[in-house]
Amino acid sequence: MQLKLTKSGQVYLPNCIRKDINLEPGDNIYIFVDNKAIILAKEACEKENQCILSNRGTLHIPVEIRRICKITSEMKFKAILNIEDRRIVLSKGYSETKG
């Protein structure tokens, strides 16, 4: 699945993703970087930033994370769900391939 960062640094998590890992508006989402990928987790991790999932399903990627990962506005990500760990992995530089 492809997700896009907005100009204001937000990413919209579609309802199907939120349901799969049991995210509700107001939930704390922990954000950290692992091997140049952004990890969004419902459970607290050792080193993380934190944000709150909005009623519309958006969350703000902190500026320091965007700087570390060299993320620009409107960048597209490949989103991979890890349902067991209740995490979403966002890999930057996603481009669709036809095949």
PDB file of all heavy atoms in Angstrom, residues 6 11-13 19 21 30 33 35 39 41 50 55 57 60 63 65 70-72 75 78 82 86 88 97-98:
ATOM      1  N   THR A   6       1.864  14.681   3.688  1.00  0.00           N
ATOM      2  CA  THR A   6       1.331  15.980   3.284  1.00  0.00           C
ATOM      3  C   THR A   6       2.391  17.063   3.449  1.00  0.00           C
ATOM      4  O   THR A   6       3.440  16.835   4.056  1.00  0.00           O
ATOM      5  CB  THR A   6       0.097  16.374   4.124  1.00  0.00           C
ATOM      6  OG1 THR A   6       0.527  16.613   5.469  1.00  0.00           O
ATOM      7  CG2 THR A   6      -0.983  15.312   4.080  1.00  0.00           C
ATOM      8  N   VAL A  11       0.641  12.071   7.753  1.00  0.00           N
ATOM      9  CA  VAL A  11       0.356  10.920   6.908  1.00  0.00           C
ATOM     10  C   VAL A  11      -1.016  10.394   7.319  1.00  0.00           C
ATOM     11  O   VAL A  11      -1.360  10.383   8.499  1.00  0.00           O
ATOM     12  CB  VAL A  11       1.463   9.846   7.017  1.00  0.00           C
ATOM     13  CG1 VAL A  11       1.535   9.202   8.386  1.00  0.00           C
ATOM     14  CG2 VAL A  11       1.317   8.796   5.947  1.00  0.00           C
ATOM     15  N   TYR A  12      -1.813  10.034   6.329  1.00  0.00           N
ATOM     16  CA  TYR A  12      -3.147   9.485   6.572  1.00  0.00           C
ATOM     17  C   TYR A  12      -3.057   7.965   6.583  1.00  0.00           C
ATOM     18  O   TYR A  12      -2.543   7.364   5.642  1.00  0.00           O
ATOM     19  CB  TYR A  12      -4.126   9.946   5.480  1.00  0.00           C
ATOM     20  CG  TYR A  12      -5.453   9.243   5.549  1.00  0.00           C
ATOM     21  CD1 TYR A  12      -6.373   9.556   6.541  1.00  0.00           C
ATOM     22  CD2 TYR A  12      -5.780   8.246   4.641  1.00  0.00           C
ATOM     23  CE1 TYR A  12      -7.596   8.900   6.620  1.00  0.00           C
ATOM     24  CE2 TYR A  12      -6.997   7.586   4.708  1.00  0.00           C
ATOM     25  CZ  TYR A  12      -7.894   7.914   5.708  1.00  0.00           C
ATOM     26  OH  TYR A  12      -9.083   7.259   5.782  1.00  0.00           O
ATOM     27  N   LEU A  13      -3.528   7.351   7.666  1.00  0.00           N
ATOM     28  CA  LEU A  13      -3.576   5.891   7.764  1.00  0.00           C
ATOM     29  C   LEU A  13      -4.988   5.445   7.410  1.00  0.00           C
ATOM     30  O   LEU A  13      -5.936   5.747   8.147  1.00  0.00           O
ATOM     31  CB  LEU A  13      -3.223   5.434   9.174  1.00  0.00           C
ATOM     32  CG  LEU A  13      -1.841   5.827   9.685  1.00  0.00           C
ATOM     33  CD1 LEU A  13      -1.658   5.363  11.119  1.00  0.00           C
ATOM     34  CD2 LEU A  13      -0.760   5.277   8.784  1.00  0.00           C
ATOM     35  N   LYS A  19      -7.764  -0.621  11.422  1.00  0.00           N
ATOM     36  CA  LYS A  19      -8.499  -1.770  11.951  1.00  0.00           C
ATOM     37  C   LYS A  19      -7.597  -2.977  12.159  1.00  0.00           C
ATOM     38  O   LYS A  19      -7.703  -3.681  13.160  1.00  0.00           O
ATOM     39  CB  LYS A  19      -9.653  -2.149  11.020  1.00  0.00           C
ATOM     40  CG  LYS A  19     -10.832  -1.233  11.132  1.00  0.00           C
ATOM     41  CD  LYS A  19     -11.965  -1.704  10.247  1.00  0.00           C
ATOM     42  CE  LYS A  19     -13.155  -0.783  10.384  1.00  0.00           C
ATOM     43  NZ  LYS A  19     -14.295  -1.226   9.562  1.00  0.00           N
ATOM     44  N   ILE A  21      -4.489  -3.192  12.943  1.00  0.00           N
ATOM     45  CA  ILE A  21      -3.635  -3.163  14.136  1.00  0.00           C
ATOM     46  C   ILE A  21      -4.325  -2.484  15.322  1.00  0.00           C
ATOM     47  O   ILE A  21      -3.701  -2.106  16.289  1.00  0.00           O
ATOM     48  CB  ILE A  21      -2.254  -2.535  13.851  1.00  0.00           C
ATOM     49  CG1 ILE A  21      -2.360  -1.106  13.363  1.00  0.00           C
ATOM     50  CG2 ILE A  21      -1.465  -3.378  12.896  1.00  0.00           C
ATOM     51  CD1 ILE A  21      -1.017  -0.422  13.236  1.00  0.00           C
ATOM     52  N   TYR A  30       3.783   5.487  18.640  1.00  0.00           N
ATOM     53  CA  TYR A  30       5.211   5.680  18.879  1.00  0.00           C
ATOM     54  C   TYR A  30       5.939   5.587  17.548  1.00  0.00           C
ATOM     55  O   TYR A  30       5.683   4.686  16.757  1.00  0.00           O
ATOM     56  CB  TYR A  30       5.712   4.649  19.884  1.00  0.00           C
ATOM     57  CG  TYR A  30       4.978   4.784  21.190  1.00  0.00           C
ATOM     58  CD1 TYR A  30       3.841   4.023  21.454  1.00  0.00           C
ATOM     59  CD2 TYR A  30       5.382   5.713  22.138  1.00  0.00           C
ATOM     60  CE1 TYR A  30       3.135   4.174  22.634  1.00  0.00           C
ATOM     61  CE2 TYR A  30       4.674   5.868  23.325  1.00  0.00           C
ATOM     62  CZ  TYR A  30       3.563   5.102  23.572  1.00  0.00           C
ATOM     63  OH  TYR A  30       2.868   5.263  24.734  1.00  0.00           O
ATOM     64  N   VAL A  33      12.967   5.402  14.019  1.00  0.00           N
ATOM     65  CA  VAL A  33      13.633   5.090  12.763  1.00  0.00           C
ATOM     66  C   VAL A  33      14.439   3.814  12.951  1.00  0.00           C
ATOM     67  O   VAL A  33      15.137   3.655  13.950  1.00  0.00           O
ATOM     68  CB  VAL A  33      14.566   6.239  12.328  1.00  0.00           C
ATOM     69  CG1 VAL A  33      15.321   5.880  11.062  1.00  0.00           C
ATOM     70  CG2 VAL A  33      13.779   7.516  12.138  1.00  0.00           C
ATOM     71  N   ASN A  35      16.875   1.506  10.381  1.00  0.00           N
ATOM     72  CA  ASN A  35      17.448   1.227   9.064  1.00  0.00           C
ATOM     73  C   ASN A  35      16.796   2.067   7.963  1.00  0.00           C
ATOM     74  O   ASN A  35      16.389   1.557   6.927  1.00  0.00           O
ATOM     75  CB  ASN A  35      17.352  -0.264   8.752  1.00  0.00           C
ATOM     76  CG  ASN A  35      18.287  -0.658   7.640  1.00  0.00           C
ATOM     77  OD1 ASN A  35      19.288   0.004   7.401  1.00  0.00           O
ATOM     78  ND2 ASN A  35      17.959  -1.721   6.952  1.00  0.00           N
ATOM     79  N   ILE A  39       9.095   3.543  11.652  1.00  0.00           N
ATOM     80  CA  ILE A  39       8.260   2.532  12.288  1.00  0.00           C
ATOM     81  C   ILE A  39       7.211   3.242  13.127  1.00  0.00           C
ATOM     82  O   ILE A  39       7.537   4.102  13.947  1.00  0.00           O
ATOM     83  CB  ILE A  39       9.084   1.594  13.199  1.00  0.00           C
ATOM     84  CG1 ILE A  39      10.336   1.079  12.484  1.00  0.00           C
ATOM     85  CG2 ILE A  39       8.213   0.471  13.743  1.00  0.00           C
ATOM     86  CD1 ILE A  39      10.092   0.208  11.299  1.00  0.00           C
ATOM     87  N   ALA A  41       4.353   2.365  15.857  1.00  0.00           N
ATOM     88  CA  ALA A  41       3.974   1.256  16.728  1.00  0.00           C
ATOM     89  C   ALA A  41       2.953   1.703  17.756  1.00  0.00           C
ATOM     90  O   ALA A  41       3.001   2.827  18.252  1.00  0.00           O
ATOM     91  CB  ALA A  41       5.209   0.706  17.434  1.00  0.00           C
ATOM     92  N   GLN A  50       6.500  10.366  20.055  1.00  0.00           N
ATOM     93  CA  GLN A  50       5.115   9.972  20.248  1.00  0.00           C
ATOM     94  C   GLN A  50       4.201  10.998  19.603  1.00  0.00           C
ATOM     95  O   GLN A  50       4.471  12.195  19.617  1.00  0.00           O
ATOM     96  CB  GLN A  50       4.848   9.896  21.750  1.00  0.00           C
ATOM     97  CG  GLN A  50       3.457   9.520  22.118  1.00  0.00           C
ATOM     98  CD  GLN A  50       3.307   9.444  23.634  1.00  0.00           C
ATOM     99  OE1 GLN A  50       4.263   9.282  24.352  1.00  0.00           O
ATOM    100  NE2 GLN A  50       2.098   9.587  24.100  1.00  0.00           N
ATOM    101  N   ASN A  55      -8.866  12.041  14.811  1.00  0.00           N
ATOM    102  CA  ASN A  55     -10.176  11.464  14.477  1.00  0.00           C
ATOM    103  C   ASN A  55     -10.287  11.122  12.997  1.00  0.00           C
ATOM    104  O   ASN A  55     -11.039  10.248  12.619  1.00  0.00           O
ATOM    105  CB  ASN A  55     -11.304  12.432  14.850  1.00  0.00           C
ATOM    106  CG  ASN A  55     -11.493  12.535  16.337  1.00  0.00           C
ATOM    107  OD1 ASN A  55     -11.166  11.613  17.078  1.00  0.00           O
ATOM    108  ND2 ASN A  55     -11.988  13.663  16.795  1.00  0.00           N
ATOM    109  N   GLY A  57      -7.788   9.967  11.204  1.00  0.00           N
ATOM    110  CA  GLY A  57      -6.845   8.918  10.843  1.00  0.00           C
ATOM    111  C   GLY A  57      -5.491   9.435  10.413  1.00  0.00           C
ATOM    112  O   GLY A  57      -4.718   8.725   9.792  1.00  0.00           O
ATOM    113  N   HIS A  60       1.061  13.080  12.738  1.00  0.00           N
ATOM    114  CA  HIS A  60       2.121  13.995  12.339  1.00  0.00           C
ATOM    115  C   HIS A  60       3.473  13.315  12.547  1.00  0.00           C
ATOM    116  O   HIS A  60       3.775  12.854  13.641  1.00  0.00           O
ATOM    117  CB  HIS A  60       2.034  15.270  13.181  1.00  0.00           C
ATOM    118  CG  HIS A  60       2.949  16.339  12.709  1.00  0.00           C
ATOM    119  ND1 HIS A  60       4.232  16.455  13.158  1.00  0.00           N
ATOM    120  CD2 HIS A  60       2.768  17.322  11.806  1.00  0.00           C
ATOM    121  CE1 HIS A  60       4.807  17.476  12.559  1.00  0.00           C
ATOM    122  NE2 HIS A  60       3.939  18.024  11.740  1.00  0.00           N
ATOM    123  N   VAL A  63       9.364  16.599  12.965  1.00  0.00           N
ATOM    124  CA  VAL A  63      10.377  17.214  12.114  1.00  0.00           C
ATOM    125  C   VAL A  63      11.716  16.491  12.242  1.00  0.00           C
ATOM    126  O   VAL A  63      12.390  16.247  11.243  1.00  0.00           O
ATOM    127  CB  VAL A  63      10.538  18.720  12.461  1.00  0.00           C
ATOM    128  CG1 VAL A  63      11.720  19.322  11.738  1.00  0.00           C
ATOM    129  CG2 VAL A  63       9.272  19.473  12.141  1.00  0.00           C
ATOM    130  N   ILE A  65      12.370  13.404  12.863  1.00  0.00           N
ATOM    131  CA  ILE A  65      12.317  12.129  12.116  1.00  0.00           C
ATOM    132  C   ILE A  65      12.417  12.420  10.620  1.00  0.00           C
ATOM    133  O   ILE A  65      13.136  11.744   9.890  1.00  0.00           O
ATOM    134  CB  ILE A  65      11.011  11.359  12.415  1.00  0.00           C
ATOM    135  CG1 ILE A  65      10.937  10.966  13.880  1.00  0.00           C
ATOM    136  CG2 ILE A  65      10.861  10.164  11.498  1.00  0.00           C
ATOM    137  CD1 ILE A  65      11.708   9.772  14.285  1.00  0.00           C
ATOM    138  N   LYS A  70      15.577  12.246   5.794  1.00  0.00           N
ATOM    139  CA  LYS A  70      15.626  13.092   4.596  1.00  0.00           C
ATOM    140  C   LYS A  70      14.312  13.016   3.812  1.00  0.00           C
ATOM    141  O   LYS A  70      14.280  12.778   2.617  1.00  0.00           O
ATOM    142  CB  LYS A  70      16.806  12.719   3.721  1.00  0.00           C
ATOM    143  CG  LYS A  70      18.129  12.928   4.423  1.00  0.00           C
ATOM    144  CD  LYS A  70      19.285  12.538   3.570  1.00  0.00           C
ATOM    145  CE  LYS A  70      20.571  12.758   4.372  1.00  0.00           C
ATOM    146  NZ  LYS A  70      21.733  12.221   3.726  1.00  0.00           N
ATOM    147  N   ILE A  71      13.239  13.242   4.547  1.00  0.00           N
ATOM    148  CA  ILE A  71      11.896  13.178   3.969  1.00  0.00           C
ATOM    149  C   ILE A  71      11.465  14.575   3.547  1.00  0.00           C
ATOM    150  O   ILE A  71      11.594  15.531   4.313  1.00  0.00           O
ATOM    151  CB  ILE A  71      10.899  12.609   4.992  1.00  0.00           C
ATOM    152  CG1 ILE A  71      11.266  11.168   5.310  1.00  0.00           C
ATOM    153  CG2 ILE A  71       9.477  12.713   4.491  1.00  0.00           C
ATOM    154  CD1 ILE A  71      10.479  10.600   6.452  1.00  0.00           C
ATOM    155  N   THR A  72      10.943  14.673   2.357  1.00  0.00           N
ATOM    156  CA  THR A  72      10.420  15.936   1.855  1.00  0.00           C
ATOM    157  C   THR A  72       8.895  15.872   1.819  1.00  0.00           C
ATOM    158  O   THR A  72       8.306  14.791   1.870  1.00  0.00           O
ATOM    159  CB  THR A  72      10.952  16.215   0.438  1.00  0.00           C
ATOM    160  OG1 THR A  72      10.569  15.143  -0.417  1.00  0.00           O
ATOM    161  CG2 THR A  72      12.460  16.347   0.449  1.00  0.00           C
ATOM    162  N   MET A  75       6.186  13.260  -0.101  1.00  0.00           N
ATOM    163  CA  MET A  75       6.911  12.045  -0.448  1.00  0.00           C
ATOM    164  C   MET A  75       5.977  10.844  -0.285  1.00  0.00           C
ATOM    165  O   MET A  75       5.109  10.835   0.579  1.00  0.00           O
ATOM    166  CB  MET A  75       8.137  11.882   0.452  1.00  0.00           C
ATOM    167  CG  MET A  75       9.019  10.703   0.102  1.00  0.00           C
ATOM    168  SD  MET A  75      10.537  10.711   1.084  1.00  0.00           S
ATOM    169  CE  MET A  75      11.501  11.871   0.120  1.00  0.00           C
ATOM    170  N   LYS A  78       5.977   3.251   0.972  1.00  0.00           N
ATOM    171  CA  LYS A  78       5.411   1.919   0.929  1.00  0.00           C
ATOM    172  C   LYS A  78       5.113   1.558   2.377  1.00  0.00           C
ATOM    173  O   LYS A  78       5.980   1.660   3.247  1.00  0.00           O
ATOM    174  CB  LYS A  78       6.418   0.933   0.333  1.00  0.00           C
ATOM    175  CG  LYS A  78       5.904  -0.478   0.275  1.00  0.00           C
ATOM    176  CD  LYS A  78       6.944  -1.385  -0.351  1.00  0.00           C
ATOM    177  CE  LYS A  78       6.424  -2.805  -0.418  1.00  0.00           C
ATOM    178  NZ  LYS A  78       7.453  -3.708  -0.952  1.00  0.00           N
ATOM    179  N   ASN A  82       2.851  -5.077  10.144  1.00  0.00           N
ATOM    180  CA  ASN A  82       3.287  -6.207  10.943  1.00  0.00           C
ATOM    181  C   ASN A  82       2.224  -6.339  12.031  1.00  0.00           C
ATOM    182  O   ASN A  82       2.301  -5.690  13.073  1.00  0.00           O
ATOM    183  CB  ASN A  82       4.671  -5.952  11.540  1.00  0.00           C
ATOM    184  CG  ASN A  82       5.162  -7.117  12.366  1.00  0.00           C
ATOM    185  OD1 ASN A  82       4.368  -7.846  12.967  1.00  0.00           O
ATOM    186  ND2 ASN A  82       6.471  -7.287  12.410  1.00  0.00           N
ATOM    187  N   ARG A  86       1.987  -5.238  15.907  1.00  0.00           N
ATOM    188  CA  ARG A  86       1.151  -4.038  15.844  1.00  0.00           C
ATOM    189  C   ARG A  86       1.974  -2.827  15.434  1.00  0.00           C
ATOM    190  O   ARG A  86       1.984  -1.796  16.088  1.00  0.00           O
ATOM    191  CB  ARG A  86       0.430  -3.823  17.167  1.00  0.00           C
ATOM    192  CG  ARG A  86      -0.574  -4.936  17.425  1.00  0.00           C
ATOM    193  CD  ARG A  86      -1.097  -4.979  18.801  1.00  0.00           C
ATOM    194  NE  ARG A  86      -1.793  -3.758  19.162  1.00  0.00           N
ATOM    195  CZ  ARG A  86      -2.634  -3.688  20.166  1.00  0.00           C
ATOM    196  NH1 ARG A  86      -2.906  -4.734  20.873  1.00  0.00           N
ATOM    197  NH2 ARG A  86      -3.210  -2.564  20.459  1.00  0.00           N
ATOM    198  N   ILE A  88       3.553  -0.498  11.837  1.00  0.00           N
ATOM    199  CA  ILE A  88       3.509  -0.145  10.422  1.00  0.00           C
ATOM    200  C   ILE A  88       4.909   0.331  10.057  1.00  0.00           C
ATOM    201  O   ILE A  88       5.484   1.183  10.739  1.00  0.00           O
ATOM    202  CB  ILE A  88       2.508   0.996  10.155  1.00  0.00           C
ATOM    203  CG1 ILE A  88       1.117   0.616  10.648  1.00  0.00           C
ATOM    204  CG2 ILE A  88       2.488   1.350   8.674  1.00  0.00           C
ATOM    205  CD1 ILE A  88       0.159   1.790  10.734  1.00  0.00           C
ATOM    206  N   THR A  97       5.405  -0.038  -9.769  1.00  0.00           N
ATOM    207  CA  THR A  97       5.905  -0.728 -10.945  1.00  0.00           C
ATOM    208  C   THR A  97       4.769  -1.530 -11.540  1.00  0.00           C
ATOM    209  O   THR A  97       3.948  -2.082 -10.822  1.00  0.00           O
ATOM    210  CB  THR A  97       7.073  -1.677 -10.606  1.00  0.00           C
ATOM    211  OG1 THR A  97       6.631  -2.605  -9.605  1.00  0.00           O
ATOM    212  CG2 THR A  97       8.266  -0.914 -10.097  1.00  0.00           C
ATOM    213  N   LYS A  98       4.707  -1.560 -12.836  1.00  0.00           N
ATOM    214  CA  LYS A  98       3.670  -2.322 -13.500  1.00  0.00           C
ATOM    215  C   LYS A  98       4.247  -3.674 -13.847  1.00  0.00           C
ATOM    216  O   LYS A  98       5.371  -3.783 -14.287  1.00  0.00           O
ATOM    217  CB  LYS A  98       3.207  -1.598 -14.759  1.00  0.00           C
ATOM    218  CG  LYS A  98       2.543  -0.275 -14.449  1.00  0.00           C
ATOM    219  CD  LYS A  98       2.088   0.423 -15.681  1.00  0.00           C
ATOM    220  CE  LYS A  98       1.461   1.760 -15.315  1.00  0.00           C
ATOM    221  NZ  LYS A  98       1.040   2.498 -16.471  1.00  0.00           N
TER     222      LYS A  98
END
